[in-house]
PDB file of all heavy atoms in Angstrom:
ATOM      1  N   TYR P 128       0.835  -1.207   0.000  1.00 96.00           N
ATOM      2  CA  TYR P 128       0.000   0.000   0.000  1.00 96.00           C
ATOM      3  C   TYR P 128       0.871   1.259   0.000  1.00 96.00           C
ATOM      4  O   TYR P 128       0.672   2.169  -0.814  1.00 96.00           O
ATOM      5  CB  TYR P 128      -0.935   0.008   1.223  1.00 96.00           C
ATOM      6  CG  TYR P 128      -1.591   1.340   1.467  1.00 96.00           C
ATOM      7  CD1 TYR P 128      -2.613   1.803   0.626  1.00 96.00           C
ATOM      8  CD2 TYR P 128      -1.165   2.165   2.509  1.00 96.00           C
ATOM      9  CE1 TYR P 128      -3.182   3.050   0.834  1.00 96.00           C
ATOM     10  CE2 TYR P 128      -1.740   3.406   2.721  1.00 96.00           C
ATOM     11  CZ  TYR P 128      -2.747   3.849   1.884  1.00 96.00           C
ATOM     12  OH  TYR P 128      -3.308   5.084   2.074  1.00 96.00           O
ATOM     13  N   ILE P 129       1.862   1.326   0.911  1.00 96.00           N
ATOM     14  CA  ILE P 129       2.711   2.518   1.028  1.00 96.00           C
ATOM     15  C   ILE P 129       3.523   2.726  -0.254  1.00 96.00           C
ATOM     16  O   ILE P 129       3.607   3.845  -0.776  1.00 96.00           O
ATOM     17  CB  ILE P 129       3.664   2.413   2.246  1.00 96.00           C
ATOM     18  CG1 ILE P 129       2.871   2.302   3.559  1.00 96.00           C
ATOM     19  CG2 ILE P 129       4.627   3.594   2.298  1.00 96.00           C
ATOM     20  CD1 ILE P 129       2.083   3.521   3.966  1.00 96.00           C
ATOM     21  N   ALA P 130       4.111   1.636  -0.778  1.00 95.00           N
ATOM     22  CA  ALA P 130       4.903   1.746  -2.011  1.00 95.00           C
ATOM     23  C   ALA P 130       4.033   2.239  -3.170  1.00 95.00           C
ATOM     24  O   ALA P 130       4.468   3.076  -3.970  1.00 95.00           O
ATOM     25  CB  ALA P 130       5.533   0.393  -2.352  1.00 95.00           C
ATOM     26  N   GLY P 131       2.795   1.742  -3.239  1.00 94.00           N
ATOM     27  CA  GLY P 131       1.861   2.174  -4.290  1.00 94.00           C
ATOM     28  C   GLY P 131       1.506   3.642  -4.158  1.00 94.00           C
ATOM     29  O   GLY P 131       1.468   4.381  -5.156  1.00 94.00           O
ATOM     30  N   GLU P 132       1.245   4.091  -2.918  1.00 95.00           N
ATOM     31  CA  GLU P 132       0.891   5.501  -2.683  1.00 95.00           C
ATOM     32  C   GLU P 132       2.072   6.424  -2.998  1.00 95.00           C
ATOM     33  O   GLU P 132       1.897   7.518  -3.529  1.00 95.00           O
ATOM     34  CB  GLU P 132       0.456   5.700  -1.218  1.00 95.00           C
ATOM     35  CG  GLU P 132      -0.910   5.126  -0.892  1.00 95.00           C
ATOM     36  CD  GLU P 132      -2.030   5.791  -1.689  1.00 95.00           C
ATOM     37  OE1 GLU P 132      -2.158   7.025  -1.608  1.00 95.00           O
ATOM     38  OE2 GLU P 132      -2.745   5.075  -2.403  1.00 95.00           O
ATOM     39  N   ILE P 133       3.274   5.971  -2.672  1.00 95.00           N
ATOM     40  CA  ILE P 133       4.477   6.762  -2.970  1.00 95.00           C
ATOM     41  C   ILE P 133       4.630   6.922  -4.478  1.00 95.00           C
ATOM     42  O   ILE P 133       4.915   8.026  -4.977  1.00 95.00           O
ATOM     43  CB  ILE P 133       5.729   6.102  -2.346  1.00 95.00           C
ATOM     44  CG1 ILE P 133       5.727   6.291  -0.824  1.00 95.00           C
ATOM     45  CG2 ILE P 133       7.009   6.673  -2.950  1.00 95.00           C
ATOM     46  CD1 ILE P 133       6.797   5.523  -0.086  1.00 95.00           C
ATOM     47  N   LYS P 134       4.417   5.828  -5.198  1.00 94.00           N
ATOM     48  CA  LYS P 134       4.542   5.872  -6.661  1.00 94.00           C
ATOM     49  C   LYS P 134       3.551   6.875  -7.249  1.00 94.00           C
ATOM     50  O   LYS P 134       3.886   7.661  -8.138  1.00 94.00           O
ATOM     51  CB  LYS P 134       4.304   4.470  -7.236  1.00 94.00           C
ATOM     52  CG  LYS P 134       4.939   4.257  -8.595  1.00 94.00           C
ATOM     53  CD  LYS P 134       5.076   2.788  -8.938  1.00 94.00           C
ATOM     54  CE  LYS P 134       5.941   2.631 -10.181  1.00 94.00           C
ATOM     55  NZ  LYS P 134       6.172   1.221 -10.515  1.00 94.00           N
ATOM     56  N   LYS P 135       2.306   6.849  -6.722  1.00 94.00           N
ATOM     57  CA  LYS P 135       1.280   7.800  -7.195  1.00 94.00           C
ATOM     58  C   LYS P 135       1.716   9.238  -6.911  1.00 94.00           C
ATOM     59  O   LYS P 135       1.545  10.128  -7.744  1.00 94.00           O
ATOM     60  CB  LYS P 135      -0.053   7.533  -6.481  1.00 94.00           C
ATOM     61  CG  LYS P 135      -0.832   6.349  -7.017  1.00 94.00           C
ATOM     62  CD  LYS P 135      -2.162   6.271  -6.254  1.00 94.00           C
ATOM     63  CE  LYS P 135      -2.671   4.852  -6.199  1.00 94.00           C
ATOM     64  NZ  LYS P 135      -3.792   4.711  -5.263  1.00 94.00           N
ATOM     65  N   SER P 136       2.244   9.480  -5.699  1.00 94.00           N
ATOM     66  CA  SER P 136       2.672  10.830  -5.312  1.00 94.00           C
ATOM     67  C   SER P 136       3.774  11.352  -6.234  1.00 94.00           C
ATOM     68  O   SER P 136       3.758  12.512  -6.645  1.00 94.00           O
ATOM     69  CB  SER P 136       3.194  10.846  -3.865  1.00 94.00           C
ATOM     70  OG  SER P 136       2.157  10.587  -2.965  1.00 94.00           O
ATOM     71  N   ILE P 137       4.734  10.472  -6.542  1.00 94.00           N
ATOM     72  CA  ILE P 137       5.846  10.875  -7.424  1.00 94.00           C
ATOM     73  C   ILE P 137       5.318  11.192  -8.819  1.00 94.00           C
ATOM     74  O   ILE P 137       5.710  12.185  -9.445  1.00 94.00           O
ATOM     75  CB  ILE P 137       6.952   9.790  -7.452  1.00 94.00           C
ATOM     76  CG1 ILE P 137       7.629   9.703  -6.071  1.00 94.00           C
ATOM     77  CG2 ILE P 137       7.991  10.081  -8.526  1.00 94.00           C
ATOM     78  CD1 ILE P 137       8.564   8.527  -5.890  1.00 94.00           C
ATOM     79  N   ARG P 138       4.375  10.350  -9.297  1.00 93.00           N
ATOM     80  CA  ARG P 138       3.784  10.589 -10.622  1.00 93.00           C
ATOM     81  C   ARG P 138       3.027  11.916 -10.669  1.00 93.00           C
ATOM     82  O   ARG P 138       2.971  12.570 -11.711  1.00 93.00           O
ATOM     83  CB  ARG P 138       2.825   9.446 -10.983  1.00 93.00           C
ATOM     84  CG  ARG P 138       3.535   8.224 -11.553  1.00 93.00           C
ATOM     85  CD  ARG P 138       2.522   7.165 -11.914  1.00 93.00           C
ATOM     86  NE  ARG P 138       3.154   5.928 -12.335  1.00 93.00           N
ATOM     87  CZ  ARG P 138       2.591   4.737 -12.250  1.00 93.00           C
ATOM     88  NH1 ARG P 138       1.377   4.611 -11.726  1.00 93.00           N
ATOM     89  NH2 ARG P 138       3.220   3.658 -12.676  1.00 93.00           N
ATOM     90  N   SER P 139       2.434  12.298  -9.533  1.00 93.00           N
ATOM     91  CA  SER P 139       1.649  13.543  -9.511  1.00 93.00           C
ATOM     92  C   SER P 139       2.509  14.777  -9.250  1.00 93.00           C
ATOM     93  O   SER P 139       2.003  15.876  -9.108  1.00 93.00           O
ATOM     94  CB  SER P 139       0.522  13.449  -8.482  1.00 93.00           C
ATOM     95  OG  SER P 139       1.056  13.341  -7.185  1.00 93.00           O
ATOM     96  N   GLY P 140       3.839  14.589  -9.164  1.00 93.00           N
ATOM     97  CA  GLY P 140       4.741  15.745  -9.110  1.00 93.00           C
ATOM     98  C   GLY P 140       5.518  15.943  -7.828  1.00 93.00           C
ATOM     99  O   GLY P 140       6.366  16.830  -7.746  1.00 93.00           O
ATOM    100  N   THR P 141       5.255  15.144  -6.778  1.00 94.00           N
ATOM    101  CA  THR P 141       6.020  15.280  -5.527  1.00 94.00           C
ATOM    102  C   THR P 141       7.401  14.656  -5.717  1.00 94.00           C
ATOM    103  O   THR P 141       7.513  13.532  -6.213  1.00 94.00           O
ATOM    104  CB  THR P 141       5.297  14.576  -4.356  1.00 94.00           C
ATOM    105  OG1 THR P 141       3.952  15.040  -4.294  1.00 94.00           O
ATOM    106  CG2 THR P 141       5.988  14.879  -3.038  1.00 94.00           C
ATOM    107  N   LYS P 142       8.443  15.377  -5.348  1.00 94.00           N
ATOM    108  CA  LYS P 142       9.795  14.818  -5.460  1.00 94.00           C
ATOM    109  C   LYS P 142       9.962  13.684  -4.454  1.00 94.00           C
ATOM    110  O   LYS P 142       9.465  13.774  -3.325  1.00 94.00           O
ATOM    111  CB  LYS P 142      10.834  15.900  -5.170  1.00 94.00           C
ATOM    112  CG  LYS P 142      10.939  16.960  -6.255  1.00 94.00           C
ATOM    113  CD  LYS P 142      11.982  17.979  -5.854  1.00 94.00           C
ATOM    114  CE  LYS P 142      12.060  19.092  -6.888  1.00 94.00           C
ATOM    115  NZ  LYS P 142      12.974  20.169  -6.435  1.00 94.00           N
ATOM    116  N   ALA P 143      10.703  12.658  -4.854  1.00 93.00           N
ATOM    117  CA  ALA P 143      10.917  11.500  -3.971  1.00 93.00           C
ATOM    118  C   ALA P 143      11.530  11.923  -2.641  1.00 93.00           C
ATOM    119  O   ALA P 143      11.148  11.424  -1.579  1.00 93.00           O
ATOM    120  CB  ALA P 143      11.803  10.468  -4.661  1.00 93.00           C
ATOM    121  N   GLU P 144      12.468  12.890  -2.674  1.00 93.00           N
ATOM    122  CA  GLU P 144      13.139  13.312  -1.434  1.00 93.00           C
ATOM    123  C   GLU P 144      12.254  14.163  -0.533  1.00 93.00           C
ATOM    124  O   GLU P 144      12.630  14.471   0.603  1.00 93.00           O
ATOM    125  CB  GLU P 144      14.457  14.044  -1.735  1.00 93.00           C
ATOM    126  CG  GLU P 144      14.333  15.240  -2.623  1.00 93.00           C
ATOM    127  CD  GLU P 144      14.561  14.928  -4.104  1.00 93.00           C
ATOM    128  OE1 GLU P 144      14.217  13.815  -4.552  1.00 93.00           O
ATOM    129  OE2 GLU P 144      15.067  15.825  -4.796  1.00 93.00           O
ATOM    130  N   ASP P 145      11.069  14.565  -1.038  1.00 95.00           N
ATOM    131  CA  ASP P 145      10.099  15.300  -0.211  1.00 95.00           C
ATOM    132  C   ASP P 145       9.080  14.373   0.449  1.00 95.00           C
ATOM    133  O   ASP P 145       8.091  14.831   1.026  1.00 95.00           O
ATOM    134  CB  ASP P 145       9.357  16.345  -1.053  1.00 95.00           C
ATOM    135  CG  ASP P 145      10.229  17.544  -1.377  1.00 95.00           C
ATOM    136  OD1 ASP P 145      11.212  17.759  -0.643  1.00 95.00           O
ATOM    137  OD2 ASP P 145       9.951  18.253  -2.361  1.00 95.00           O
ATOM    138  N   ILE P 146       9.328  13.066   0.327  1.00 96.00           N
ATOM    139  CA  ILE P 146       8.441  12.059   0.928  1.00 96.00           C
ATOM    140  C   ILE P 146       9.216  11.312   2.008  1.00 96.00           C
ATOM    141  O   ILE P 146      10.358  10.898   1.791  1.00 96.00           O
ATOM    142  CB  ILE P 146       7.936  11.051  -0.135  1.00 96.00           C
ATOM    143  CG1 ILE P 146       7.155  11.779  -1.236  1.00 96.00           C
ATOM    144  CG2 ILE P 146       7.085   9.952   0.508  1.00 96.00           C
ATOM    145  CD1 ILE P 146       6.837  10.911  -2.439  1.00 96.00           C
ATOM    146  N   ALA P 147       8.603  11.147   3.176  1.00 96.00           N
ATOM    147  CA  ALA P 147       9.252  10.402   4.264  1.00 96.00           C
ATOM    148  C   ALA P 147       8.333   9.306   4.774  1.00 96.00           C
ATOM    149  O   ALA P 147       7.115   9.489   4.827  1.00 96.00           O
ATOM    150  CB  ALA P 147       9.619  11.338   5.415  1.00 96.00           C
ATOM    151  N   VAL P 148       8.935   8.186   5.122  1.00 96.00           N
ATOM    152  CA  VAL P 148       8.211   7.114   5.804  1.00 96.00           C
ATOM    153  C   VAL P 148       8.854   6.971   7.180  1.00 96.00           C
ATOM    154  O   VAL P 148      10.061   6.735   7.289  1.00 96.00           O
ATOM    155  CB  VAL P 148       8.283   5.776   5.043  1.00 96.00           C
ATOM    156  CG1 VAL P 148       7.456   4.712   5.771  1.00 96.00           C
ATOM    157  CG2 VAL P 148       7.798   5.929   3.605  1.00 96.00           C
ATOM    158  N   LEU P 149       8.046   7.150   8.218  1.00 96.00           N
ATOM    159  CA  LEU P 149       8.554   7.119   9.590  1.00 96.00           C
ATOM    160  C   LEU P 149       8.060   5.876  10.322  1.00 96.00           C
ATOM    161  O   LEU P 149       6.954   5.401  10.077  1.00 96.00           O
ATOM    162  CB  LEU P 149       8.099   8.375  10.350  1.00 96.00           C
ATOM    163  CG  LEU P 149       8.381   9.729   9.683  1.00 96.00           C
ATOM    164  CD1 LEU P 149       7.927  10.866  10.590  1.00 96.00           C
ATOM    165  CD2 LEU P 149       9.859   9.883   9.344  1.00 96.00           C
ATOM    166  N   PHE P 150       8.883   5.369  11.232  1.00 95.00           N
ATOM    167  CA  PHE P 150       8.542   4.159  11.980  1.00 95.00           C
ATOM    168  C   PHE P 150       9.170   4.243  13.358  1.00 95.00           C
ATOM    169  O   PHE P 150      10.103   5.018  13.591  1.00 95.00           O
ATOM    170  CB  PHE P 150       9.014   2.903  11.239  1.00 95.00           C
ATOM    171  CG  PHE P 150      10.264   3.096  10.421  1.00 95.00           C
ATOM    172  CD1 PHE P 150      11.518   3.020  11.005  1.00 95.00           C
ATOM    173  CD2 PHE P 150      10.180   3.408   9.073  1.00 95.00           C
ATOM    174  CE1 PHE P 150      12.668   3.222  10.261  1.00 95.00           C
ATOM    175  CE2 PHE P 150      11.324   3.623   8.314  1.00 95.00           C
ATOM    176  CZ  PHE P 150      12.576   3.528   8.907  1.00 95.00           C
ATOM    177  N   ARG P 151       8.653   3.420  14.280  1.00 92.00           N
ATOM    178  CA  ARG P 151       9.110   3.469  15.679  1.00 92.00           C
ATOM    179  C   ARG P 151      10.501   2.866  15.830  1.00 92.00           C
ATOM    180  O   ARG P 151      11.353   3.421  16.507  1.00 92.00           O
ATOM    181  CB  ARG P 151       8.085   2.757  16.569  1.00 92.00           C
ATOM    182  CG  ARG P 151       8.419   2.746  18.065  1.00 92.00           C
ATOM    183  CD  ARG P 151       8.475   4.167  18.623  1.00 92.00           C
ATOM    184  NE  ARG P 151       8.764   4.191  20.056  1.00 92.00           N
ATOM    185  CZ  ARG P 151       9.974   4.072  20.572  1.00 92.00           C
ATOM    186  NH1 ARG P 151      11.024   3.930  19.777  1.00 92.00           N
ATOM    187  NH2 ARG P 151      10.156   4.123  21.876  1.00 92.00           N
ATOM    188  N   THR P 152      10.734   1.698  15.236  1.00 88.00           N
ATOM    189  CA  THR P 152      12.059   1.065  15.308  1.00 88.00           C
ATOM    190  C   THR P 152      12.511   0.707  13.894  1.00 88.00           C
ATOM    191  O   THR P 152      11.681   0.387  13.033  1.00 88.00           O
ATOM    192  CB  THR P 152      12.047  -0.216  16.174  1.00 88.00           C
ATOM    193  OG1 THR P 152      11.163  -1.170  15.584  1.00 88.00           O
ATOM    194  CG2 THR P 152      11.589   0.073  17.593  1.00 88.00           C
TER     195      THR P 152
END
């Protein structure tokens, strides 16, 4: 799901380096 959403965001113009995935550990 996350990888798919990231791909959509990049296609819609968001730069890859402007996207972050955060996690506890």
